Amino acid sequence: MREPEYDFLIVGAGLYGAVFAHEAHKKGKKCLVIDKREHLGGNTYCEDVDGINIHKYGAHIFHTNDKFIWDYVNSFVPFNRYTNSPLANYKGELYNLPFNMNTFRQLWGISTPDEAKAIIAEQTKEYKDKIPSNLEEQALSLVGKDIYEKLIKGYTEKQWGRKATELPAFIIKRLPLRFTYDNNYFNDDHQGIPVGGYNKLTEGLLEGIECRTNVDFFKDRKKLESLAKQVVFTGKIDEYFDYRHGKLEYRSLHFEHTTLDQDNYQGNAVVNYTEASIPYTRIIEHKHFEFGKQKASVITKEYPLEASSDNEPYYPINDAKNTDLFNTYKKMAEQETTTIFGGRLAEYRYYDMHQVIGAALAKTRKLLP
Ligand code: FAD
Ligand code: UDP
């Protein structure tokens, strides 16, 4: 039998696939990257509209504490100084995020950390000795009723399509709580947006590597598999196994993009709408990620919905039921000797970009020392 033409067939040109391909290519391995979408870059893909980079799959802000990963991405494209400091709009009132002294001042009219701590201590006292078993309990025990009801409950329940009492506590632990006047959404040492957009990062990673778009692995699986010695699969793990044990659930988003004949719509890149009765979770004004001075502006409303065969799976729902099902597929994946599973969909993990890059680098280091 003839030797396969490629060392690796990489299914998915998102960050996991692109980093894996880059590292394997550097080690002299021959890679073929395929993606079923018409473009490369996965969910970080940007589209140029009137000179503004539109984050087609939702706002992407790069942040990391890992200097190595920061230097790694900056070696392909310099990153700007953008700092994410979203606002929350609750019934027309604006609050700073994450929860910090500015938020507490806007909520309670106080000005010192001691005053804020006293109010939060009072509102969280009944949860003090309890271990939170779900997102609602976690939020109430961390920040108390006022913040939970105005800034968390509505947003969370529409984002996830489930009651906060049915969601895992870890989702909310991502958000910082601090007693300084600091609106930086992340605690990480490094943060920014690639100058010229995320496509520059993808282009840098995939330079010199054969890539084919509009190719769905499942439409021609046997033939595609025969092309390479190993497959790196970054699509949905349940789909890889033909949904044999059932479907994993994901949340999806519908993005409504609008070009406006005005230069500045909301004065900030991200404004969250935290009340339940507004169907979208946030409005993104893309130009502010890169301090754009264009005459026009493009905004995007994000409407959350359940993932189905008609839309894209974005967020894994890591509740108990789905975690059990994922573990079944994970065991099956461990038996697949010629396929490597990686990334948000194949590992069914709420990964951020720096984590996906870290995972792909770790995998290539182990596999191709
Ligand atoms: P993806 O980017 O999803 O790439 C997977 C690719 O595989 C896709 O291009 C898909 O088309 C392709 N594929 C799937 N199945 C097949 C198939 N059968 N055949 C061929 N191709 C296939 N992270 C941050 O760090 N900061 C943020 O601010 C941030 N914001 C986010 C906002 C939203 C709305 C979302 C959804 C995610 C956000 N993330 C953010 C997370 C970030 O998008 C991911 O960590 C990262 O993009 C995951 O990379 P990946 O390669 O695992 O997956
Ligand atoms: N969240 C919230 N209110 C907000 C922003 C976030 O309750 O104004 C909760 C919500 O449950 C969300 C989680 O915190 O899913 C994580 O927020 P993050 O901004 O990290 O979400 P992502 O950008 O990943 O969608």
Side-chain angles (χ1 to χ4, degrees), residues 12 15-16 35-36 43 59-61 216-217 344 351-353:
L15 273 177
Y16 192 96
D35 203 295
K36 63 180 177 183
N43 288 342
H60 277 72
I61 300 112
D216 186 334
F217 177 67
R344 215 179 220 218
Y351 265 143
D352 274 332
M353 290 181 279

Side-chain angles (χ1 to χ4, degrees), residues 97 135 151-152 155-156 159-160 171-172 174-175 185 272 274 282 315 350:
L97 292 174
L135 193 151
L151 302 179
I152 298 176
Y155 186 101
T156 295
Q159 165 73 2
W160 295 98
I171 293 176
I172 202 74
R174 290 162 65 90
L175 303 188
Y185 201 55
N272 292 356
T274 57
R282 47 191 176 193
Y315 295 93
Y350 193 179

